[in-house]
Amino acid sequence: MGVLEVNDVAKRFGDVVALDGVSLSVRRGELLGFLGPNGAGKSTTMRAIMGLIAIDRGTITWNGAAITSDTRRRFGYMPAERGMYPKLKVGDQLAYFARLAGLSKSAAAAAAAKWMQRVDISARADDEVQALSSGNQQRVQLAIALVHDPELLILDEPFSGLDPVAVENMKTILVEEMERGTAVLFSSHQLDLVTDVSRDVVIVDHGRVVLNGDVRDIRERASFRYASVAFAGGVAADPSWSPAIAWAEVLSRDGRALRLRVPAGADPTDVLADLARAGAVVEFSFMPPDLSEVFLQAVSRSGARHDEVGVAP
């Protein structure tokens, strides 16, 4: 089974620390979400994997061996910036990149046709890339990354600029690639999409990994939970009610519903019983924070630590 290993990678650009000991791994058949604010080091890490920049420290391997130019021909890469020839026709562009990856002329033409159809761009096969909308250019870039059936797929902001239909198609393609056995590393600022398709994430900030693991486990490790109730028949809750649960905080109270923030160790049964003192409960939920909130907390804490030690943004 193929595996990408990024181990303790560091990179400076002058006085700016871009990467400060980043480590991650992606196995074939795994889809890893790579998250972080702008300037956190995501694109720099991806460029280092593809050999577009030299690293100052650490190792990047595939199947336990150093990555060579021949190895990278088996990788698919979709950069955040446009990486295409603007005056080349869409079909010719895909066939060209397929030939660069080692496909024969006939195989490249067949692969180009397949992926134009798969990303719904076949009708524009004879158009120059520069004539396409931003969203359609994004579709072409994805097709270029996939046209040679790569073992490792590296996608930098693949959902950027896509309409809702294209987003759903992109999500389907990513899951299909994972099921085919491709190792997929992708970055995105759209965290709801990450939770839809990815089980595991790595969060970086200021060039360091600040949180990683299974999304459900990360959420479960949060120090608090959200408890929400709705009352029967829309009857207003008792306005004099206040929580008896220690450290509980009322977040919203609109008369027909209540929402609390409570410690993670609180017993949901006790929380429900406490809320029932305010009215007849017909709906109840007890949930950890979503990934976006965990993300914000992680990068907020990271920023404070880096300010203290003087790490460059």
Side-chain angles (χ1 to χ4, degrees):
M1 175 179 287
V3 58
L4 171 72
E5 292 279 359
V6 176
N7 183 45
D8 193 31
V9 168
K11 177 66 180 178
R12 278 181 175 268
F13 295 101
D15 294 330
V16 176
V17 177
L19 301 176
D20 188 16
V22 168
S23 296
L24 60 84
S25 65
V26 194
R27 296 183 178 277
R28 296 198 67 173
E30 180 181 2
L31 200 159
L32 181 67
F34 194 30
L35 313 178
N38 290 331
K42 304 183 302 298
S43 294
T44 302
T45 302
M46 292 178 166
R47 290 171 185 149
I49 294 168
M50 293 304 299
L52 301 176
I53 61 170
I55 58 177
D56 300 330
R57 186 188 76 230
T59 58
I60 303 175
T61 60
W62 176 252
N63 289 339
I67 297 174
T68 66
S69 57
D70 285 340
T71 308
R72 289 192 180 93
R73 293 174 74 181
R74 305 197 302 272
F75 296 173
Y77 177 47
M78 180 179 180
E81 302 83 12
R82 299 286 180 247
M84 299 174 287
Y85 297 97
K87 294 185 178 181
L88 195 60
K89 294 178 181 179
V90 171
D92 294 339
Q93 187 118 210
L94 286 173
Y96 170 74
F97 279 101
R99 293 297 306 277
L100 284 182
L103 275 67
S104 68
K105 185 174 181 179
S106 60
K114 167 190 169 182
W115 280 105
M116 282 190 293
Q117 189 277 330
R118 189 65 188 83
V119 301
D120 197 21
I121 202 74
S122 297
R124 310 298 297 272
D126 293 325
D127 292 349
E128 294 180 353
V129 167
Q130 64 184 0
L132 303 181
S133 67
S134 175
N136 279 337
Q137 288 186 19
Q138 192 78 338
R139 295 175 195 232
V140 176
Q141 286 217 137
L142 176 64
I144 288 172
L146 287 163
V147 72
H148 57 300
D149 293 332
E151 297 176 359
L152 171 65
L153 191 57
I154 300 174
L155 308 175
D156 198 351
E157 294 293 336
F159 297 103
S160 177
L162 297 181
D163 60 45
V165 173
V167 165
E168 288 303 314
N169 190 36
M170 174 78 78
K171 286 162 57 177
T172 299
I173 289 172
L174 291 187
V175 172
E176 287 175 352
E177 284 301 300
M178 178 185 68
E179 293 174 345
R180 184 176 70 84
T182 308
V184 183
L185 175 66
F186 78 103
S187 67
S188 180
H189 290 299
Q190 296 163 275
L191 300 189
D192 55 333
L193 299 179
V194 175
T195 55
D196 284 347
V197 299
S198 181
R199 186 190 69 182
D200 297 296
V201 297
V202 171
I203 300 176
V204 291
D205 189 29
H206 292 81
R208 295 181 180 177
V209 174
V210 296
L211 198 61
N212 66 84
D214 183 289
V215 172
R216 290 172 296 182
D217 291 343
I218 288 173
R219 293 177 62 208
E220 287 294 331
R221 293 201 301 266
S223 62
F224 61 92
R225 297 290 184 267
Y226 291 117
S228 301
V229 293
F231 298 105
V235 176
D238 181 354
S240 66
W241 179 89
S242 61
I245 301 293
W247 307 107
E249 176 187 1
V250 178
L251 300 177
S252 64
R253 182 201 302 253
D254 68 4
R256 295 173 296 178
L258 279 167
R259 188 167 188 254
L260 304 181
R261 176 173 164 150
V262 302
D267 187 324
T269 304
D270 293 339
V271 175
L272 175 58
D274 190 28
L275 286 162
R277 294 189 297 107
V281 174
V282 293
E283 293 181 14
F284 173 67
S285 67
F286 189 84
M287 299 289 292
D290 59 24
L291 180 61
S292 61
E293 190 165 359
V294 173
F295 170 88
L296 290 172
Q297 287 193 329
V299 299
S300 175
R301 290 194 301 268
S302 168
R305 288 197 300 268
H306 294 325
D307 287 345
E308 291 170 3
V309 299
V311 174

